[in-house]
Amino acid sequence: MHGGVKFYRGAAAAARAYVEADHSRADDYYLAEGSGVAARYVVNVDEHDEPAVIAAGNMDGETYKRWVAGYDVDTGVAKGRLRKDEKGLRFVEVVVNGPKSWSLAAAEHPQIAQVYEAAQDRAVREVINWVAQHSTTRVGPRGRQVQVPVDQIEAAVIRHYTSRAGDPHRHLHLQINARVFTNGRWRGLHSVGTVDSIEAINGIGHAAVACDPELRRTLAAYGYTLQADGEIREIKPYIGRFSQRSAQVTRNLDRYEAEWRRQHPGQTPGPALRRGWDRRAWADNRPDKDIPVDGVALVERWRAELHELGYDPPDHPVSLKALPIARLDRAAVVDLVLSRLGGRRSAWNAADIRGEVEKIIAAVGIIAEGTVRRELAEDLTSRTVAACTPLLDRGDVPEHVRALTSQRVVHVEEALVSRLANRARSQPRPVRLDAPRHARGLDAAQRRAAAAIAGTAPLVVIEGAAGAGKTTTLAAAEAALRRIGHRLLVVTPTLKAARVASREIKTQASTAHWLAIQHGFRWDEDGRFGRVPNTERFNDPGRKLGPRGAARLEPGDVLLVDEAGMLDQDLALALITIADEHHARVVLVGDRHQLPAVGRGGVLDHAARRAHPTNVLELSAVHRFTDKTYGALSLRMRTGQRPGEVFDDLVARGAIVVHPTAIERTAALAELAATKTALVMADTREQVSLLNAAAREQRSTTTPKQRLGRTASKDASVVTGRGELITYGDRVTTRLNRRDLGVANRDTWTVSRVTADGSLQLNGRAGTVRIPAEYVRDHVELAYATTVYGAQGETVDSGHVAIDHTTGAAAAYVAMTRGRDRNIAHLVADDLADARQQWIDVFSRDRADLGPAHAAERAATDINTHGPQPRRPLARLLSQGEQPQWRHPQQTYPLRTNTAPSRTESLSSPGIGL
């Protein structure tokens, strides 16, 4: 189970259509015998007893509409004072689902389908129970509100059997009503707490099904086994190709709707029209097949398509192997949870811990009844919370606020800050540049920056806006350093950026990770970061470790980190340590207004605060854009000040495009991407996948004349593990560094040949490479569009970006500064005023992780914003004489000062099952 929390705001009557848009009309085959739209659940939370999830019957369409609107479905009475406007929150929603292979197994075997459905029912009850125990509402006068636990919540569960494309995808929509009952009256749910609990919700939902004894016994009886990621081993190889066929149906539906809306502006397609599109989409996708007319025919079609791909179900049962709970090394699990969380972020809450614990329980092979698994998960969560370091010394921290960290996370930041501060103590001496040779074409700020790089300061920080000419400055500094006998070693967060730097600066460049490895640093995917002992690094020639060749630094050399704002703290500490050991100088180049590190960042902030003031320089003149007035406008986007006025100026320039629906925006951007004449960007990989598929669809639509020139080799294709179809001429990207293959993460290529064994020949800036089938399956993706992270560092003629509710200030600024000539933002909005407010909201989002010290400040701010959760009555904070009955939520995890128990077994031992 994965995904986020969705907020439904708007008319209650439209909620049913909102839910139904998530599945195919083929679902009607299953629901024809059903008695309602949604199952309703009520949970009464008691201080002393375990909450009971009560099934309150099914709701038909009208009943569901009243429930969404905030009325008691039995009496028709409003649940307190209700908001009537379209912005009012009606419910928050999460989706309880499982790996795709589970739904395919259910389609293949009716018995598995029945057991899987029962396991999902138990899982959703468990999630509802947990949400009820940890939900809060806010009481008290404005400015002095506090959070209190709820006494009752209501939930609706809507079951779907298919995806929107009509392929098997069994999932449940769990909706928590925004009206909750506490202290004798109805109030509004504190939805921020639900959002901050998503890791626990996802983890519980997945583990409750994956560890379900009945489901696991049934899978084993049919010969199926689960991998660590939860997928069924025997079915997983067929998922990509199966999904590719069904994804074609989705693209057909989107194309029909986009075309219809262009011809009928301002209108909404009705149910009858959509049913017709469904039939047409299925027919266009497989014209040689009959369209299913009932549920039995639909399942038979799924089975036939799976078998056409070469799938042959197992013909004998397998033994069910489970890890006994007694063999689980709980101290090792605590250590693993802290390592994983610390590898991704600076601070977390108990819900984040619970989610990680549930993932581990499922991955190591625990199979147990729900009550047993919950007790184990709660114990491991309590142990991990006890091993955490609190960021705030106060007893009223709400559960959802991320105010926990680890000793190691704190230690890394302290060590990094200490080393940076030590470098700021000496007096710097910039050098005088040889103007005719080294400073030609530089403005005054660039000359000062180049002189500082080539000077004697142990620590230099250079910030520059997008298009400020950092590369030109570095090239001049490299020439000056070479003249005085020193070397400039450039490292970057990515291999792609290193190649660009090497080519444009004409000096050696590598990834920061490569340099750290050469000096003995190691890390793993679970967040552990350390260093090989000296004896192993330097006394074992067979390991080929140690600083030699390009990795060797001499006293006075300059270690320059480009895009330093994207550097995480572990890697930054490794680089500073290397420079300290070899008496090299350090220069950090970047921009704190652009995209931050994926993980614990803030390196550039710490360096800028501690470097000598004369060695913190800024390149403020923008040279990239053909229109100088746009350069000035980009600087206003960079600071985020007065975003409404910036939006108005962009509208006047024609740089804002408003689309009525997301489908119409996808169609417009896909048309641009298919031409390969513009850089098309989006915020998430899911959005990019949709754009890539739609763009490829448009590119593959050829004229009869073009088809005459095609050959069998040009019509050959391969389907990746993500279900993407790749053929001759497609633009693709490689997503894993492989020096032996000559490819880097996020390199873009054009497919020049597809071979029968699934390998590809690619042409790109680095030349022509041959990529084996295994790499293609796991690490090649379509690249007509890219994420904003993938676009940082790119400079093109024209850039287009989809702005959404997930877009933050840094992403919007980076995306709107890639094009020399044009930069266009595309928004989905009701009108220009709505789009303007969305733009303003974008520039109020800045959730960059800048380290544990900053996380502590943010946690305190969150408490001031959302209210504390005191542990005793505070009647003076309540309004209208309320005297709430305070209680502690169930399953809270108290903080203790003791550290984690020492590990007795290695993580590779049977004790943890990894």
Side-chain angles (χ1 to χ4, degrees):
M1 179 174 168
H2 58 86
V5 176
K6 295 181 181 179
F7 293 168
Y8 180 79
R9 305 177 190 274
R16 183 175 182 180
Y18 157 79
V19 173
E20 290 180 344
D22 180 65
H23 69 97
S24 167
R25 248 58 58 184
D27 238 28
D28 296 339
Y29 302 143
Y30 282 103
L31 303 179
E33 303 301 323
S35 59
V37 170
R40 174 171 159 251
Y41 293 90
V42 178
V43 185
N44 294 303
V45 185
D46 185 86
E47 180 178 9
H48 305 291
D49 298 325
E50 178 77 11
V53 180
I54 302 169
N58 292 331
M59 297 183 285
D60 59 20
E62 286 302 313
T63 306
Y64 176 68
K65 186 169 68 174
R66 290 197 302 273
W67 182 86
V68 171
Y71 292 90
D72 187 305
V73 298
D74 296 321
T75 65
V77 176
K79 296 178 180 178
R81 186 171 59 187
L82 303 179
R83 289 186 61 172
K84 304 292 185 180
D85 60 284
E86 292 188 354
K87 301 299 182 183
L89 178 65
R90 307 303 181 189
F91 57 78
V92 295
E93 178 186 83
V94 295
V95 178
V96 179
N97 56 20
K100 181 65 172 285
S101 56
W102 295 4
S103 292
L104 288 172
E108 182 74 15
H109 307 283
Q111 181 63 27
I112 291 179
Q114 180 180 346
V115 173
Y116 182 24
E117 189 168 310
Q120 282 189 314
D121 286 340
R122 289 188 288 271
V124 80
R125 284 172 171 264
E126 189 171 334
V127 172
I128 294 172
N129 191 324
W130 192 91
V131 170
Q133 294 176 61
H134 296 268
S135 292
T136 62
T137 185
R138 297 191 292 172
V139 301
R142 187 180 299 275
R144 289 189 294 155
Q145 288 185 317
V146 296
Q147 295 187 42
V148 298
V150 303
D151 295 330
Q152 185 186 94
I153 69 166
E154 290 195 16
V157 176
I158 300 173
R159 184 182 301 278
H160 286 165
Y161 297 86
T162 67
S163 69
R164 185 166 174 265
D167 64 331
H169 178 48
R170 291 172 174 263
H171 60 286
L172 304 177
H173 289 261
L174 169 57
Q175 300 168 351
I176 306 297
N177 198 286
R179 305 304 294 170
V180 296
F181 191 80
T182 191
N183 297 314
R185 52 185 295 197
W186 291 99
R187 303 176 183 274
L189 174 72
H190 181 49
S191 56
V192 172
T194 308
V195 172
D196 290 344
S197 300
I198 186 59
E199 293 297 333
I201 293 171
N202 284 340
I204 293 169
H206 173 70
V209 179
C211 302
D212 186 86
E214 185 181 6
L215 176 62
R216 295 298 298 275
R217 283 193 297 267
T218 306
L219 289 174
Y222 283 93
Y224 293 120
T225 57
L226 294 191
Q227 299 181 163
D229 62 359
E231 292 283 6
I232 296 175
R233 182 175 287 102
E234 293 74 16
I235 296 179
K236 185 176 181 179
Y238 304 93
I239 293 175
R241 287 181 290 168
F242 191 97
S243 298
Q244 188 277 323
R245 292 184 175 186
S246 60
Q248 180 64 59
V249 176
T250 300
R251 293 193 294 273
N252 290 344
L253 291 169
D254 287 346
R255 189 173 71 253
Y256 306 154
E257 183 169 346
E259 292 171 354
W260 187 89
R261 287 182 180 276
R262 276 197 294 267
Q263 298 170 8
H264 304 82
Q267 298 183 41
T268 301
L273 185 59
R274 290 187 179 278
R275 283 193 292 270
W277 288 343
D278 276 339
R279 291 190 292 271
R280 179 184 167 193
W282 281 65
D284 286 352
N285 183 42
R286 299 297 302 277
D288 57 324
K289 300 291 184 180
D290 294 331
I291 300 173
V293 295
D294 57 33
V296 174
L298 181 65
V299 172
E300 285 302 318
R301 176 163 179 167
W302 290 337
R303 296 180 64 189
E305 292 197 355
L306 188 58
H307 286 263
E308 285 175 8
L309 296 174
Y311 171 73
D312 189 17
D315 57 4
H316 61 276
V318 295
S319 60
L320 183 59
K321 299 178 181 179
L323 177 71
I325 291 178
R327 292 188 61 204
L328 188 69
D329 185 339
R330 303 193 184 206
V333 173
V334 170
D335 179 78
L336 180 59
V337 171
L338 291 178
S339 294
R340 286 183 176 179
L341 291 174
R344 295 196 297 263
R345 59 195 351 160
S346 296
W348 46 85
N349 57 27
D352 296 327
I353 293 173
R354 177 66 181 268
E356 200 62 51
V357 163
E358 295 280 10
K359 291 177 190 176
I360 293 172
I361 289 174
V364 300
I366 297 292
I367 300 176
E369 297 292 342
T371 54
V372 177
R373 195 204 84 257
R374 286 196 297 274
E375 289 177 0
L376 173 63
E378 289 163 13
D379 176 68
L380 290 170
T381 301
S382 295
R383 289 170 181 250
T384 308
V385 170
C388 290
T389 299
L391 289 172
L392 299 175
D393 185 17
R394 52 191 294 179
D396 59 354
V397 179
E399 277 192 296
H400 72 89
V401 173
R402 292 187 166 95
L404 303 175
T405 190
S406 69
Q407 291 181 356
R408 183 188 176 279
V409 168
V410 173
H411 170 74
V412 168
E413 182 167 79
E414 290 175 346
L416 176 63
V417 168
S418 176
R419 287 184 179 272
L420 290 171
N422 288 339
R423 286 182 162 265
R425 291 175 181 169
S426 61
Q427 281 288 5
R429 294 198 311 274
V431 302
R432 181 184 180 87
L433 291 182
D434 185 349
R437 289 196 300 171
H438 304 139
R440 186 177 300 160
L442 301 183
D443 62 30
Q446 289 174 313
R447 286 196 295 273
R448 286 193 296 271
I453 295 172
T456 62
L459 178 63
V460 176
V461 177
I462 298 174
E463 286 199 84
K470 293 189 288 290
T471 301
T472 306
T473 304
L474 299 187
E478 191 277 334
L481 281 166
R482 190 166 9 95
R483 181 171 59 88
I484 59 177
H486 291 303
R487 186 166 69 104
L488 178 69
L489 176 57
V490 177
V491 297
T492 66
T494 67
L495 181 56
K496 178 182 176 181
R499 288 178 171 175
V500 173
S502 179
R503 182 174 61 250
E504 296 185 352
I505 303 172
K506 295 179 173 58
T507 188
Q508 290 178 323
S510 68
T511 66
H513 298 85
W514 178 85
L515 183 65
I517 288 172
Q518 304 312 304
H519 288 263
F521 289 91
R522 297 290 183 272
W523 55 91
D524 63 23
E525 61 184 13
D526 289 323
R528 299 185 185 87
F529 202 104
R531 197 173 192 184
V532 176
N534 286 345
T535 53
E536 294 185 39
R537 267 186 282 151
F538 302 117
N539 297 337
D540 185 357
R543 296 177 65 91
K544 296 184 179 180
L545 298 176
R548 52 173 61 91
R552 190 174 184 84
L553 285 166
E554 301 290 347
D557 285 348
V558 175
L559 175 58
L560 186 143
V561 184
D562 197 12
E563 300 287 1
M566 300 179 73
L567 207 62
D568 67 79
Q569 291 195 2
D570 287 317
L571 189 54
L573 179 58
L575 296 179
I576 301 297
T577 300
I578 293 168
D580 287 349
E581 292 173 349
H582 296 273
H583 307 286
R585 299 172 51 240
V586 173
V587 177
L588 301 179
V589 180
D591 185 2
R592 283 176 282 178
H593 297 283
Q594 296 191 46
L595 293 171
V598 181
R600 301 184 342 260
V603 174
L604 209 55
D605 298 76
H606 285 306
R609 282 198 293 269
R610 284 154 183 90
H612 193 281
T614 59
N615 282 290
V616 179
L617 303 135
E618 182 160 2
L619 305 177
S620 54
V622 178
H623 304 280
R624 172 175 297 167
F625 308 109
T626 54
D627 184 346
K628 302 302 180 185
T629 58
Y630 188 80
L633 185 59
S634 74
L635 292 177
R636 292 163 61 193
M637 280 188 273
R638 181 174 182 251
T639 60
Q641 296 178 347
R642 299 181 178 178
E645 295 179 9
V646 171
F647 179 87
D648 296 337
D649 290 345
L650 289 171
V651 170
R653 297 176 58 87
I656 297 291
V657 177
V658 178
H659 301 269
T661 66
I663 286 177
E664 290 167 279
R665 179 177 66 180
T666 298
L669 288 175
E671 187 174 350
L672 284 166
T675 65
K676 303 183 183 179
T677 59
L679 177 64
V680 176
M681 296 159 281
D683 208 39
T684 67
R685 291 191 68 184
E686 289 76 12
Q687 292 171 314
V688 169
S689 294
L690 287 173
L691 287 169
N692 278 329
R696 193 203 167 280
E697 187 78 9
Q698 295 206 22
R699 188 196 67 83
S700 64
T701 304
T702 58
T703 65
K705 181 178 179 180
Q706 290 171 321
R707 284 195 291 270
L708 287 175
R710 300 190 68 84
T711 63
S713 64
K714 291 183 178 181
D715 285 331
S717 64
V718 62
V719 177
T720 69
R722 288 166 54 87
E724 292 183 332
L725 181 69
I726 295 176
T727 61
Y728 172 85
D730 275 329
R731 176 188 285 176
V732 298
T733 181
T734 44
R735 292 309 311 272
L736 181 71
N737 293 337
R738 281 285 298 272
R739 294 177 185 269
D740 59 324
L741 297 178
V743 301
N745 183 26
R746 299 192 189 279
D747 273 349
T748 55
W749 312 81
T750 299
V751 178
S752 56
R753 187 183 179 193
V754 181
T755 62
D757 65 356
S759 62
L760 297 178
Q761 181 176 288
L762 307 177
N763 292 341
R765 183 177 291 176
T768 300
V769 296
R770 176 76 177 268
I771 306 300
E774 183 179 2
Y775 185 98
V776 172
R777 184 182 64 246
D778 297 333
H779 307 298
V780 172
E781 299 174 5
L782 292 172
Y784 293 97
T786 181
T787 61
V788 180
Y789 264 95
Q792 179 152 316
E794 295 279 356
T795 302
V796 296
D797 292 334
S798 179
H800 294 256
V801 60
I803 299 292
D804 263 313
H805 66 279
T806 58
T807 309
Y813 169 61
V814 168
M816 290 296 285
T817 53
R818 298 305 94 197
R820 301 182 190 91
D821 303 326
R822 296 185 71 202
N823 293 280
I824 309 294
H826 297 254
L827 298 92
V828 175
D830 297 331
D831 49 37
L832 200 60
D834 182 20
R836 188 178 193 271
Q837 185 58 52
Q838 289 185 41
W839 182 267
I840 293 172
D841 292 343
V842 163
F843 284 88
S844 67
R845 298 188 194 112
D846 178 17
R847 301 296 288 181
D849 187 337
L850 303 181
H854 180 261
E857 297 173 2
R858 175 168 287 167
T861 300
D862 287 344
I863 295 174
N864 291 336
T865 301
H866 303 299
Q869 189 170 347
R871 303 306 183 205
R872 60 182 185 277
L874 294 176
R876 60 185 177 81
L877 295 179
L878 306 181
S879 60
Q880 302 177 357
E882 294 178 272
Q883 298 291 330
Q885 297 178 356
W886 291 92
R887 61 172 177 76
H888 295 280
Q890 297 287 323
Q891 299 176 11
T892 57
Y893 309 110
L895 280 173
R896 298 194 297 272
T897 57
N898 61 295
T899 60
S902 60
R903 290 169 54 188
T904 58
E905 298 182 61
S906 71
L907 290 182
S908 61
S909 73
I912 191 172
L914 294 180

